[in-house]
Amino acid sequence: MDNDTLTQRDLKVLWHPCTQMRDHENLPLIPIRRGQGVWLEDFEGKRYLDAISSWWVNLFGHANPRINAAIEDQLRNLEHMILAGFTHEPVIRLSERLIGIAPQGLAHCFYASDGSAALEIALKMSFHYWQNCGENKRKRFISLANSYHGETLGALSVGDVALYKETYRPLLFEAITVKSPDCYFRESGESWENYSTRAFAEMEQALERHADETCAVVVEPLVQCAGSMRMYDPVYLKLLRQACDKHRVHLIADEIAVGFGRTGTMFACEQASVSPDFLCLGKGLTGGYLPLSVCLSREEIYQAFYADYTARKAFLHSHSYTGNPLSCRAALATLDIFDDDDVIERNKDLAVRLAQAAAPLAEHPHVAEVRQTGMILAIEMVKDKTTREPFPWQERRGLEVYRYALDQGLLLRPVGDVIYFMPPYVITPEEIDWLTKVAREGIERAGT
Ligand SMILES: *Cc1c(COP(=O)(O)O)cnc(C)c1O
């Protein structure tokens, strides 16, 4: 078996995610034979450092012995079963653990498989809560410019990345979109805190105007990942929590990408000391092993659905693989690693190393900004450093960096012209230095 044979077979029968398939006429598709730690290996023995954690899901490396063992053990007992009318120990233990570590007040876990589905659950639950409370005017959602919440129609409706959304607009419901606290747009010399505070004025206005027709505000806490890894200050979440309380509107925190230590704390909301009414988790939840997502909600929300069957208040939503036992065991093993290895604390050193290694790039004439929140570091490439004029998108500079890095054995997947690192937490300081060096060379070569 070699790369070419597999590639040819693949292209006959597959359709890959988020890809213009014609690109593969000259962009190699890479079949992977195995993974080990931060490394992926193809069928010719070439290795690639997975600097983006396989689309932000992997936390403790590929083929992690501890997660493998947990799944193997579960496999001997129970692979899957219906979660309606029945239950199993892994899903109970996982729910207890999640409620134990999540921001205060989140009391019930509702499971799905993908992040988008967790978002749909939060949107439907919030809307349904208000229905159950007799507040029938509430049908709208407020979300941030440049936000991303997934690809299903509801999640896409509250998202705002034109590349993914525009074509489907006629199918979507209309969300109220307000200015993002995205600190890329701060004045020179202005602090993140100041800019994010100023940006909140629009949210306050939207809430004043629309609160009585609004179910919830939905945000990605601290980092808009698919929206070019744009970042903002925790103060915005503090102000938002206060305003949601004042205007009696739910707050949905989509921590699908930023949860599980990505921003430097277990959950990004912790940095603002706020608790959302709904918390959506996915991606890293199983350490990148199996599809599992969850929507946590407050007791008060659960209680609004708890009634006689004939009151017709139940949340009659389900997914086939909801609460899958194998996924739950992978998630439990992942949480064990966080505890046993003191991961959040150890990541602080890795984050410092990332910052140091990438710092010189800030001076590069084609780099507008190097920004970082915890274990996410992003480099914004532009045509003109002073005016921040972007490269014409048709040039696909990011793709050039992608190609160069691949040649060197590094897997990056820039969003447009933004190169970012979101590595598994088992990366070594030396590997961080190396990947930064390769990215730098790629940025220097792009366009030459
Ligand atoms: C990836 C992502 C989603 C969607 O999750 P899927 O598992 O891809 O459906 C939702 N919200 C955020 C913030 C994400 O990064």
Side-chain angles (χ1 to χ4, degrees), residues 147-180:
S147 58
Y148 180 85
H149 297 289
E151 302 292 354
T152 53
L153 296 178
L156 208 51
S157 295
V158 291
D160 184 49
V161 178
L163 183 63
Y164 308 132
K165 179 167 185 172
E166 212 43 49
T167 309
Y168 308 102
R169 202 175 281 273
L171 302 180
L172 306 178
F173 66 75
E174 208 176 314
I176 299 162
T177 310
V178 308
K179 182 188 175 84
S180 166

Side-chain angles (χ1 to χ4, degrees), residues 4 13 34 125 149 164 182 224 237 242 301 358 389 433:
D4 285 348
V13 292
R34 68 171 140 244
M125 263 187 191
H149 297 289
Y164 308 132
D182 174 0
Q224 299 187 304
L237 298 172
Q242 287 163 10
I301 289 162
E389 181 193 347
D433 294 347

